[in-house]
């Protein structure tokens, strides 16, 4: 809800680009000028552009320009990626279409590991890694997208990560913005009501609001591999409020418990990634890549 993605034409270099424009937060979803934007929304938007722009890796979509439009609207431009996201790829694997196999999908995930290893080496956590945020181009290129919820380690957290309408045992000990109210019961909200992360892919420490390290992204990667192997997420549907309790209190099943045809060695890698105790997980994405 913070921005809209437009397809635009670069008159100078004669190419199509993707442009993200900051929105005013209303239901109409109109572009807002820098002067009219909430300062926190503007800061997050600029931070996303800066973080993405500084992650110069083949697996992260490059940012070309940050600027103001003719009416003062804030934007940044990126490479326009033609292709499909991992959710669509997983369906092709399940349906055995277009030569998409489990092995070929795993090769895509190896490239995701490469991109995450690079981001983590720069001190950046994605915090919303999921199939919808991984794009597979028509010529085999793989991009980890949407760094809008990224956190640079060592920088102060500007968001209130409490769970809207959750019991006190699930809330972070911070003050919600005065007068703010969350109507959903299954999502994490920032101070101004934006969703922070996707519950189905969150590790327990993120659901509890504890400080995060790269192992949070590795947990999300484990959920993605599980989903690719089994055809569903380990803890249930995204909109189930009981999901948060399951993440906190239950161990994830092994992929082989759901589908016995999954190779046991691969299942063991996923089990390690989905450990509730982050100390039991692999320490970095390069190690995960080698294991996969």
């Amino acid at each position: 809800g913070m921005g809209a993605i437009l397809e635009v034409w670069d008159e100078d270099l004669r190419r199509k680009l993707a442009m993200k424009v900051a929105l005013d937060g209303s239901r109409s979803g109109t572009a807002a000028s820098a002067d009219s934007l909430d300062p926190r929304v503007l800061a997050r938007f600029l931070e996303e552009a800066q973080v993405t722009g500084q992650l110069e890796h083949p697996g992260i979509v490059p940012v070309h320009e940050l600027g103001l439009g003719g009416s003062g609207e804030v934007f940044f431009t990126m490479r326009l990626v033609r292709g499909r996201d991992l959710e669509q790829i997983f369906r092709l694997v399940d349906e055995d279409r277009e030569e998409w196999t489990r092995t070929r999908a795993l090769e895509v995930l190896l490239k995701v590991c490469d991109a995450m290893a690079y981001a983590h080496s720069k001190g950046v956590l994605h915090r919303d890694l999921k199939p919808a945020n991984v794009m597979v181009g028509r010529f085999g290129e793989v991009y980890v997208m949407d760094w809008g919820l990224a956190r640079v380690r060592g920088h102060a957290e500007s968001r209130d990560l409490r769970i809207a309408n959750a019991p006190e045992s699930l809330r972070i000990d911070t003050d919600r913005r005065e007068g703010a109210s969350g109507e959903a019961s299954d999502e994490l909200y920032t101070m101004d009501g934006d969703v922070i992360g996707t519950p189905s892919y969150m590790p327990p420490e993120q659901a509890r609001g504890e400080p995060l390290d790269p192992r949070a992204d590795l947990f999300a990667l484990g959920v993605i591999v599980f989903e690719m192997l089994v055809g569903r997420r380990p803890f249930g549907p995204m909109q189930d409020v009981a999901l948060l309790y399951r993440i906190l209190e239950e161990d994830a099943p092994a992929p082989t418990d759901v589908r016995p045809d999954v190779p046991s060695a691969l299942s063991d890698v996923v089990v390690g990634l989905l450990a509730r105790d982050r100390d039991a997980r692999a320490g970095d994405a390069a190690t995960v890549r080698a294991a996969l």
Side-chain angles (χ1 to χ4, degrees):
M2 186 173 66
I5 305 294
L6 311 175
E7 181 180 303
V8 298
W9 177 252
D10 181 344
E11 291 282 2
D12 296 323
L13 294 178
R14 312 292 294 173
R15 60 180 178 176
K16 290 181 179 179
L17 298 174
M19 174 186 283
K20 187 165 187 175
V21 182
L23 300 179
D24 61 8
S26 67
R27 291 187 177 183
S28 62
T30 55
S33 67
D35 293 337
S36 64
L37 277 174
D38 182 306
R40 290 171 302 188
V41 174
L42 177 59
R44 287 208 313 275
F45 189 86
L46 295 176
E47 183 179 33
E48 178 185 357
Q50 292 167 347
V51 168
T52 310
Q54 292 176 49
L55 292 176
E56 299 178 297
H57 186 274
I60 299 171
V61 66
V63 171
H64 297 310
E65 181 183 11
L66 172 64
L68 297 175
S71 301
E73 64 270 24
V74 189
F75 72 86
F76 62 90
T77 59
M78 303 166 283
R79 175 181 294 170
L80 179 64
V81 180
R82 301 285 189 186
R84 290 176 284 209
D85 63 35
L86 261 186
E87 288 184 326
Q88 296 169 300
I89 296 301
F90 288 171
R91 285 197 291 271
L92 295 177
V93 172
D94 289 339
E95 298 166 4
D96 194 21
R97 292 171 49 203
E98 299 183 24
E99 299 183 348
W100 274 102
T101 63
R102 179 185 289 168
T103 300
R104 188 178 172 193
L106 277 170
E107 291 172 352
V108 170
L109 294 178
L110 295 183
K111 295 181 180 180
V112 174
C113 289
D114 288 336
M116 295 312 302
Y118 173 79
H120 292 162
S121 76
K122 296 296 185 181
V124 177
L125 309 180
H126 190 283
R127 301 200 301 183
D128 197 23
L129 193 60
K130 57 186 176 183
N133 285 340
V134 176
M135 287 291 296
V136 181
R138 293 181 295 182
F139 300 100
E141 62 272 39
V142 176
Y143 295 104
V144 178
M145 310 289 289
D146 197 350
W147 296 80
L149 298 183
R151 168 85 183 278
V152 181
R153 299 185 70 190
H155 287 205
E157 176 60 73
S158 60
R159 303 174 178 91
D160 176 359
L161 303 186
R162 77 172 59 208
I163 298 170
N165 292 342
E168 290 301 325
S169 62
L170 287 178
R171 290 178 185 262
I172 299 171
D173 189 20
T174 58
D175 291 331
R176 176 180 288 275
R177 181 168 62 100
E178 185 177 357
S181 61
E183 296 180 356
S185 59
D186 57 355
E187 296 172 328
L188 295 187
Y189 278 73
T190 62
M191 283 185 288
D192 51 359
D194 297 332
V195 176
I196 178 81
T198 305
S200 290
Y201 299 89
M202 282 182 186
E205 62 269 23
Q206 188 169 355
R208 287 192 297 263
E210 297 172 354
L212 302 181
D213 62 27
R215 291 170 293 183
D217 286 338
L218 300 185
F219 183 96
L221 182 63
V223 177
I224 293 171
V225 181
F226 186 103
E227 188 172 358
M228 188 273 292
L229 294 172
V230 172
R232 66 170 178 82
R233 294 180 289 270
F235 294 104
M238 189 182 307
Q239 299 302 323
D240 184 359
V241 67
L243 171 65
L244 291 170
Y245 295 94
R246 296 191 64 192
I247 291 172
L248 289 171
E249 303 296 336
E250 298 180 13
D251 292 325
T256 49
D257 293 340
V258 184
R259 286 190 56 171
D261 63 320
V262 173
S264 59
L266 189 55
S267 180
D268 291 343
V269 173
V270 175
V271 169
L273 289 172
L274 296 180
R276 279 193 292 160
D277 179 3
R278 59 179 151 188
D279 290 335
R281 297 176 211 151
D284 59 81
T287 300
V288 175
R289 186 194 194 285
L292 289 176

